[in-house]
Amino acid sequence: MLLLENVTKRYGAFTAVDDVSLHIPAGQVFGFLGPNGAGKTTTMKMITGLVKPSAGAVRVDGVDVIADPLEAKRRIGYVPDRPNLYERLTPVEYCYFIAGLYGMARDETVARTRELLVLFGLGEKLGALIESFSHGMKQRLVMASVLLHRPRLLVVDEPMVGLDPRGARLLKDVLRREATERGLTVMLSTHTLEVADEVCDRVAVIHRGRLVAQGSPAELRAASGAEGAKLEEVFLQLTAEDPGQPEAGPAG
Ligand code: ATP
């Protein structure tokens, strides 16, 4: 469903993402792990068409993201790590605006907006201005808004930041349910390794722009020779810094 073929991103002499190939089948929740500055956000921006690869190709449902950006974007929902919201709108107005960008019909827009805002616990805030929302409430609004147009692929950068335990639980449940029942493909980056362990079918670890491992959390544990270990230990082992190596580049 999501295919990355030898994707590279260079900024001048610095290579942020180095020859990454990935295939994520439909209906899978895929976790993208790596230390700060490893290349997660850059990879996600190339998948969503916000950053152009220096080399390689990205296909979503067979559609080339660079050659056919509008067709690709119809299929994608993207939650950036620092989403920008129009704070002087209400959540309903914001969702109507987003639905308009995707050309959704009016009846469907009204029904979907209500359904998703209630699902994400914002049913009592429909008429409030977004500027009055807490960080976690804004996160939930963004999640609701990216699901409006029923994307086939959801790309989520650090979804758990700022969510309280109930919000985090809700989001994990929604992602798993959408993947299992509707075949939504999810790619999420996270530093919360318990989240990866709990919701992801497969994970990949990126380090200094290169993929250093991929498989189910259990497979990664087995490959590291630490089957009983936490994913955290596997992660630390895979991304251990060689003291002889210079830093990968400016912090991300
Ligand atoms: P974090 O976990 O800290 O969010 P990340 O894995 O998402 O990190 P990226 O944001 O993809 O990392 O950054 C990867 C590397 O590319 C970093 O060294 C970063 O400084 C560099 N980088 C990102 N964008 C640019 C840019 N526009 N120009 C130059 N370097 C960049």
Side-chain angles (χ1 to χ4, degrees):
M1 196 282 164
L2 172 62
L3 191 62
L4 276 73
E5 293 173 315
N6 308 101
V7 172
T8 293
K9 180 66 196 180
R10 282 184 284 271
Y11 291 107
F14 175 65
T15 304
V17 175
D18 193 0
D19 198 26
V20 165
S21 294
L22 271 179
H23 175 232
I24 309 181
Q28 193 164 82
V29 180
F30 190 89
F32 203 34
L33 316 178
N36 290 134
K40 301 179 296 297
T41 298
T42 306
T43 303
M44 292 179 138
K45 285 187 172 169
M46 289 192 281
I47 294 169
T48 52
L50 293 174
V51 163
K52 197 170 170 209
S54 311
V58 177
R59 275 179 244 285
V60 177
D61 242 350
V63 178
D64 187 305
V65 170
I66 297 298
D68 209 348
L70 281 184
E71 260 319 303
K73 281 174 183 151
R74 279 195 186 99
R75 293 161 162 80
I76 301 176
Y78 174 49
V79 183
D81 53 352
R82 287 181 221 96
N84 281 317
L85 288 160
Y86 297 102
E87 305 242 333
R88 300 290 292 169
L89 298 181
T90 68
V92 172
E93 288 166 344
Y94 181 74
C95 286
Y96 286 3
F97 169 67
I98 298 291
L101 295 179
Y102 284 99
M104 286 172 60
R106 190 184 153 77
D107 287 356
E108 201 198 356
T109 297
V110 172
R112 256 332 251 162
T113 295
R114 195 171 176 86
E115 178 195 336
L116 284 163
L117 290 179
V118 169
L119 175 66
F120 281 97
L122 296 170
E124 286 168 19
K125 296 280 179 186
L126 300 182
L129 290 183
I130 296 169
E131 66 182 7
S132 72
F133 280 18
S134 70
H135 180 69
M137 288 157 71
K138 288 179 189 169
Q139 286 279 94
R140 289 196 250 154
L141 170 58
V142 173
M143 282 305 305
S145 69
V146 296
L147 290 171
L148 281 169
H149 69 292
R150 299 182 199 274
R152 308 289 310 132
L153 169 69
L154 193 61
V155 180
V156 201
D157 206 348
E158 280 291 337
M160 301 303 160
V161 174
L163 289 179
D164 65 16
R166 193 176 300 279
R169 171 82 274 149
L170 175 72
L171 181 57
K172 287 186 272 189
D173 289 348
V174 170
L175 293 180
R176 274 260 50 112
R177 196 170 61 229
E178 290 280 314
T180 310
E181 293 176 9
R182 210 173 60 76
L184 176 71
T185 308
V186 181
M187 183 184 200
L188 62 88
S189 74
T190 183
H191 289 297
T192 318
L193 298 176
E194 301 84 63
V195 170
D197 231 347
E198 195 182 342
V199 294
C200 295
D201 302 299
R202 271 170 73 226
V203 296
V205 181
I206 186 170
H207 183 41
R208 295 172 177 267
R210 288 189 149 261
L211 283 192
V212 291
Q214 63 173 303
S216 70
E219 283 167 355
L220 291 198
R221 283 193 201 92
S224 76
E227 266 171 80
K230 288 172 151 185
L231 193 54
E232 184 185 22
E233 287 165 41
V234 179
F235 175 88
L236 291 174
Q237 194 181 316
L238 285 167
T239 58
E241 291 296 334
D242 174 350
Q245 288 270 321
E247 275 297 305

